[in-house]
Amino acid sequence: MRIARTRPRALRFAILGAGAGLLIAGCGSPSGATGGTGSGTWAATSSSTPPAEAPTTNASTPPGSSTATATPALSASRLAVAGTIATGLKAPWGLAMLPDGTALVTERDTAQVVRVRSGAAPETLTTVPGVVPRGEGGLLGIAVPPGKQPTYALVYYTAADDNRIARMSWDGNRLGSPKVILTGIPKGQIHNGGRLIFGPDGYVYVGTGETGDRDRAQDPKDLAGKILRITSNGRPAPDNPDPNSAVFSLGHRNVQGLAFDAQGRLWASEFGASDVDELNLIAPGGNYGWPQCEGGCNQDGFIDPAASWSPTAIASPSGLAIARGSAWVASLRGSRVWQVPLTGTTAGTPREWLQDEYGRLRTIEPAPDGSLWLVTSNTDGRGNVRDGDDRILRLTLD
């Protein structure tokens, strides 16, 4: 596997105040106030174009994609809570939007998949067999293929011996029995990754964690601490950097957010350890530095993040969505949504929303009507449970 070279580090934006956060990302209590630019430091690279040394595959230029820098025609300047979609969920984790404006949601600790729709109580569809919830593991990500009538869903879950991906038929009302399509993703008490997303190239992208065993992230033969790229049947995508391996990029600590921009570029949000969280622009075969680097380190062989937050108390980014010219990052410890404007491959000055209004925030996804759905995570054992938790909020962008 060829290794991408480092992008230069550049602008650093000082944000009012400074804090210290030495807990593991995702732990601890939220802090700060709504509506400003945050506490601590935020940094961006002046250019985050994937390096020329990265292996060239179809994934680097999906159909309809472009590497040209362009200013978004419609950038959002205001985020507002327009209502509540659902309440009373138990440690919700993944969310897959359906074309009719409803969604499939996974509950990490109950192993249930529920269907949510505005104005109705959540409907339990199934309990996935074989899920072994423990620590940060359980029933995690869920994704459905794009299209008007998806016929199946994929789920990522922690089993007795590993993390795995299963495929379940979907007829619009019922989920079928799961068929396991990929096994052998290492599991741990922490850092199980879990996010699933279909790419514009038709392949499935998977964020995994290094389970707390740091060296796994740099082992190209290990599926931990990676972004994987597979077919919908669980095989390595044939034009991966190594066509016999599911590994698409390596050197990750715990990827829990994946999103594609309008040009088909893949972005990922990633937990830091004691200091720096990351937003990365993913290149095929790229090495993102963990554990040698936390945040940017400007070393040959490693790709620096497009954006980073310090300390981890202001972010701990989980879910990621891209809409209206910005990346929208749901933060757990930070208890806020970070808006990061994107101009081509460059990340701009961030803005924060909803700081400490709803507690820990796990997942954020675009809805068919142009809104965003935001999932809270206060019943996962690390948050302060509020009346109605956990919930799904509908956010509008102006």
Side-chain angles (χ1 to χ4, degrees), residues 123-145:
E123 173 192 4
T124 300
L125 298 178
T126 190
T127 300
V128 179
V131 177
V132 181
R134 183 169 177 264
E136 294 177 2
L139 182 58
L140 304 175
I142 186 168
V144 297

Side-chain angles (χ1 to χ4, degrees), residues 152 154 165 167 179-182 204 230-236:
Y152 66 92
L154 300 180
I165 299 172
R167 178 168 168 153
K179 176 184 178 181
V180 175
I181 63 171
L182 181 64
V204 182
I230 60 174
T231 70
S232 60
N233 291 317
R235 300 181 181 90

Side-chain angles (χ1 to χ4, degrees), residues 337-361:
V337 174
W338 284 100
Q339 177 189 2
V340 183
L342 301 177
T343 303
T345 59
T346 301
T349 305
R351 184 175 183 182
E352 61 182 346
W353 300 94
L354 309 181
Q355 183 177 345
D356 201 26
E357 291 188 24
Y358 296 97
R360 292 162 54 84
L361 306 178

Side-chain angles (χ1 to χ4, degrees), residues 53-307:
E53 293 85 349
T56 300
T57 74
N58 289 344
S60 62
T61 53
S65 71
S66 170
T67 57
T69 298
T71 301
L74 293 173
S75 59
S77 59
R78 183 174 180 270
L79 178 147
V81 176
T84 300
I85 300 294
T87 59
L89 298 169
K90 299 177 182 178
W93 207 99
L95 184 151
M97 292 298 312
L98 298 171
D100 64 0
T102 66
L104 303 178
V105 176
T106 56
E107 292 185 335
R108 187 191 70 184
D109 298 339
T110 67
Q112 292 182 344
V113 181
V114 301
R115 190 174 190 177
V116 297
R117 63 189 80 212
S118 184
E123 173 192 4
T124 300
L125 298 178
T126 190
T127 300
V128 179
V131 177
V132 181
R134 183 169 177 264
E136 294 177 2
L139 182 58
L140 304 175
I142 186 168
V144 297
K148 293 183 179 180
Q149 295 179 329
T151 58
Y152 66 92
L154 300 180
V155 292
Y156 181 115
Y157 66 91
T158 308
D161 299 318
D162 59 6
N163 287 303
R164 51 185 55 188
I165 299 172
R167 178 168 168 153
M168 309 171 74
S169 64
W170 169 247
D171 66 4
N173 293 296
R174 295 182 300 275
L175 286 166
S177 299
K179 176 184 178 181
V180 175
I181 63 171
L182 181 64
T183 61
I185 303 171
K187 61 174 282 188
Q189 178 74 16
I190 59 173
H191 303 175
N192 288 284
R195 196 68 65 183
L196 300 171
I197 188 173
F198 281 84
D201 53 9
Y203 294 115
V204 182
Y205 294 76
V206 185
T208 74
E210 36 76 299
T211 73
D213 184 350
R214 297 179 172 208
D215 292 340
R216 288 184 181 273
Q218 288 296 322
D219 183 350
K221 297 181 180 179
D222 196 309
L223 299 184
K226 309 295 189 298
I227 293 176
L228 311 180
R229 181 172 176 256
I230 60 174
T231 70
S232 60
N233 291 317
R235 300 181 181 90
D239 57 349
N240 276 356
D242 176 352
N244 296 312
S245 171
V247 173
F248 188 67
S249 63
L250 71 160
H252 299 287
R253 184 171 182 264
N254 193 20
V255 175
Q256 288 199 358
L258 295 171
F260 284 89
D261 64 21
Q263 287 72 42
R265 293 176 289 246
L266 177 62
W267 299 77
S269 55
E270 181 169 345
F271 290 122
S274 60
D275 187 34
V276 184
D277 295 319
E278 299 178 0
L279 176 66
N280 287 299
L281 176 58
I282 303 302
N287 189 328
Y288 290 81
W290 181 256
Q292 284 82 352
C293 301
E294 182 182 358
C297 63
N298 196 24
Q299 292 185 23
D300 287 346
F302 300 140
I303 301 177
D304 282 353

